[in-house]
Each structure stands twice: as structure tokens, then as C-alpha cells.
Amino acid sequence: RADFAVVETYTHAAEPALAVPITGFCGRDDARATPEAMAGWREHTTRPFDLSVFPGGHFFLQPAKTQLLQALTAAATPYL
């Protein structure tokens, strides 16, 4: 229920972009979190932004598990 409450009551408040890199992940065929919509995260950082798009829809995590883990590892490795 708490998840639904957050979605129903959230109001965006504009704030300065973060000075940290952002990496996004999405499914190519996701009707809601489209690659174009996910690219909007770029405006929330003054550092590099990277978007990895995987085959599949909203639940791309399962069919693209291996590729996603590789992308997560590549994105995190410089900060370990």
C-alpha cells in the first residue's frame, strides 16, 4: 500500500541537477518507461549520463539478466 500511496501523492519539485553520474536501464518495448522517457534522466545530472536499453518490455530483467548484470558491473566498476 505504501508504494501506491507514494505514487498517488508524489509531486515533483524542481531541484538543481546532481553532480553524480547517472546510469539508466530500460526495456526497448516498455510502453510506460520508454527509452525516450528514460533519457529524460539526463537533465538530473551535471555529470555523464548513460542509458542501456535491453530487449523486452517492463520486465526485461528476466530475459536480459546476463546483459543487465554485465552493464551493472561495467557501470559500477569505476567506483569500487
Side-chain angles (χ1 to χ4, degrees):
R1 284 188 225 158
D3 292 348
F4 290 116
V6 168
V7 170
E8 292 169 356
T9 61
Y10 175 77
T11 303
H12 174 72
E15 294 185 21
L18 300 171
V20 297
I22 294 177
T23 302
F25 304 96
C26 68
R28 180 180 307 122
D29 302 316
D30 191 331
R32 190 164 185 180
T34 64
E36 294 79 18
M38 293 296 293
W41 280 91
R42 179 175 278 112
E43 70 186 58
H44 297 285
T45 183
T46 59
R47 302 288 310 275
F49 171 80
D50 184 51
L51 178 62
S52 294
V53 181
F54 298 93
H58 192 69
F59 297 101
F60 71 90
L61 300 168
Q62 290 303 321
K65 182 179 176 180
T66 300
Q67 298 95 320
L68 175 61
L69 290 174
Q70 290 171 343
L72 282 167
T73 300
T77 296
Y79 305 101
L80 298 177

